[in-house]
Amino acid sequence: MDLDPQRPAVRRRDTDRRLRPLVQIAFAVCLLLLASAAVTSSHDLRAAQREADDLRQRIAQAERELAALREQRDRLQHDPVALERLARERLGLVHAGDVVVLLPETSPVADPTP
């Protein structure tokens, strides 16, 4: 039986030399995966920021429309002239005693051809 105290250290060094390229490759693969995840995350973050900006713009537009509708509602509730104008224009309503004149719709005149 060979009891050389140097032999286990030599075997360990040989094993370390053989495993070193595998460890380096594994480390490089991990770095590539990490970089890929960072790039994907960055793209996702930018897309989410664009969507948030779009939603903010849509909310602002909806708030402007809501303010205009509230203003119109207030006018119709407190201004009888505005209410009457709306009733006449949109609903075709008239006061009792008003004379309604209906004009015929104009249609394009065809050219007489001989």
Side-chain angles (χ1 to χ4, degrees), residues 2-59:
D2 191 10
L3 296 176
D4 186 7
Q6 297 281 331
R7 197 158 272 292
V10 170
R11 282 187 192 154
R12 193 173 332 138
R13 273 188 252 134
D14 288 344
T15 303
D16 288 348
R17 281 188 206 139
R18 281 184 266 143
L19 290 178
R20 185 172 294 187
L22 291 176
V23 170
Q24 289 173 341
I25 290 171
F27 184 72
V29 167
C30 287
L31 282 178
L32 287 174
L33 289 174
L34 184 62
S36 173
V39 168
T40 301
S41 179
S42 173
H43 288 297
D44 291 346
L45 179 61
R46 277 191 239 123
Q49 287 172 338
R50 282 191 299 268
E51 184 177 351
D53 290 341
D54 181 47
L55 289 173
R56 279 189 210 96
Q57 289 175 359
R58 289 174 56 191
I59 288 170

Side-chain angles (χ1 to χ4, degrees), residues 53-101:
D53 290 341
D54 181 47
L55 289 173
R56 279 189 210 96
Q57 289 175 359
R58 289 174 56 191
I59 288 170
Q61 178 64 29
E63 287 174 346
R64 287 190 296 272
E65 290 173 7
L66 180 61
L69 288 171
R70 284 184 175 151
E71 183 180 321
Q72 182 181 15
R73 179 199 63 196
D74 291 341
R75 269 196 323 269
L76 292 174
Q77 285 178 341
H78 303 331
D79 185 4
V81 174
L83 183 60
E84 182 180 339
R85 185 178 60 243
L86 182 67
R88 288 178 180 270
E89 290 173 359
R90 291 203 183 159
L91 302 176
L93 298 179
V94 295
H95 280 291
D98 282 353
V99 177
V100 178
V101 177

